[in-house]
Amino acid sequence: MSILVILEQQNGQWHRISWETLAAGQQWGVALGLPVEAAIAGKGVEGPASEAATRKLEKVWAVEHDLLEQYTADGHTAAFEELIRKTQPSLVLFPHTYQVRDFAPKLATRFSQVLVSDVIAARNDNGLVLVRQFFQGKLSGDIRPGGSPCFASLQAGAWRADQLETGSAAMETF
């Protein structure tokens, strides 16, 4: 059991919300007592993966393939599906971006799960409880995900990237 944080990059440049999501993953790992891994997909992502490996993580996966050079929903879905089946995390976290909204619901359904989107908080209350807003922020609701793995995208600004812990992680190409 672990937490897998999917990081987003385009042409070797990080999407800023990736670091917020990674910080959330580290915090949730401590709260839930789970190791945290990260993954980044593309072609030639060794550089960004090496940068991610300077954070406090168990492992960073560089998901490499020629067909991942340009983003496609099908390519990212297939690549991350294989990685998730191999690593079997209990929780998969994504930054809530346009790209993630494009492929993550499809990925979640491959595991007979749903994507809990726009999560703004989480807590351990005899199991994981995710909090998200409804009706343009007028209501907040608790969601207790069932099944594994749980898929969640995290709202921008809900966690702070400056709370990322540094460290040294193993890096593996997949």
Side-chain angles (χ1 to χ4, degrees):
M1 295 180 56
S2 65
I3 297 173
L4 178 64
V5 178
I6 305 297
L7 304 174
E8 185 177 319
Q9 64 84 35
Q10 291 178 340
N11 302 318
Q13 300 297 312
W14 289 108
H15 195 294
R16 65 177 179 80
I17 303 172
S18 289
W19 297 122
E20 295 173 14
T21 307
L22 193 56
Q26 287 178 336
Q27 292 169 22
W28 293 14
V30 170
L32 298 170
L34 295 174
V36 181
E37 298 181 348
I40 181 170
K43 181 179 177 191
V45 293
E46 296 88 6
S50 293
E51 185 180 353
T54 64
R55 308 300 185 212
K56 185 178 175 185
L57 299 165
E58 290 291 316
K59 183 179 283 190
V60 174
W61 296 93
V63 182
E64 287 272 352
H65 196 280
D66 288 343
L67 296 176
L68 295 173
E69 183 173 12
Q70 297 297 319
Y71 169 76
T72 64
D74 290 340
H76 273 59
T77 299
F80 286 127
E81 178 184 10
E82 285 187 41
L83 180 65
I84 291 167
R85 292 201 187 280
K86 175 185 172 80
T87 60
Q88 300 197 352
S90 52
L91 179 59
V92 182
L93 301 178
F94 303 89
H96 190 76
T97 64
Y98 290 113
Q99 184 172 298
V100 164
R101 286 189 271 180
D102 189 37
F103 81 89
K106 181 178 181 176
L107 177 61
T109 59
R110 298 241 177 132
F111 293 87
S112 299
Q113 297 292 324
V114 297
L115 172 70
V116 181
S117 64
D118 263 335
V119 172
I120 60 166
R123 67 179 183 276
N124 188 359
D125 183 10
N126 293 323
L128 180 65
V129 176
L130 304 173
V131 180
R132 70 168 305 229
Q133 295 178 327
F134 299 95
F135 302 111
Q136 297 177 343
K138 292 181 176 84
L139 295 173
S140 291
D142 291 351
I143 299 169
R144 191 176 295 272
S148 183
C150 169
F151 294 85
S153 69
L154 308 185
Q155 188 177 92
W159 283 269
R160 294 178 43 180
D162 64 359
Q163 293 180 344
L164 262 174
E165 293 184 52
T166 59
S168 179
M171 192 175 91
E172 188 171 330
T173 301
F174 178 75

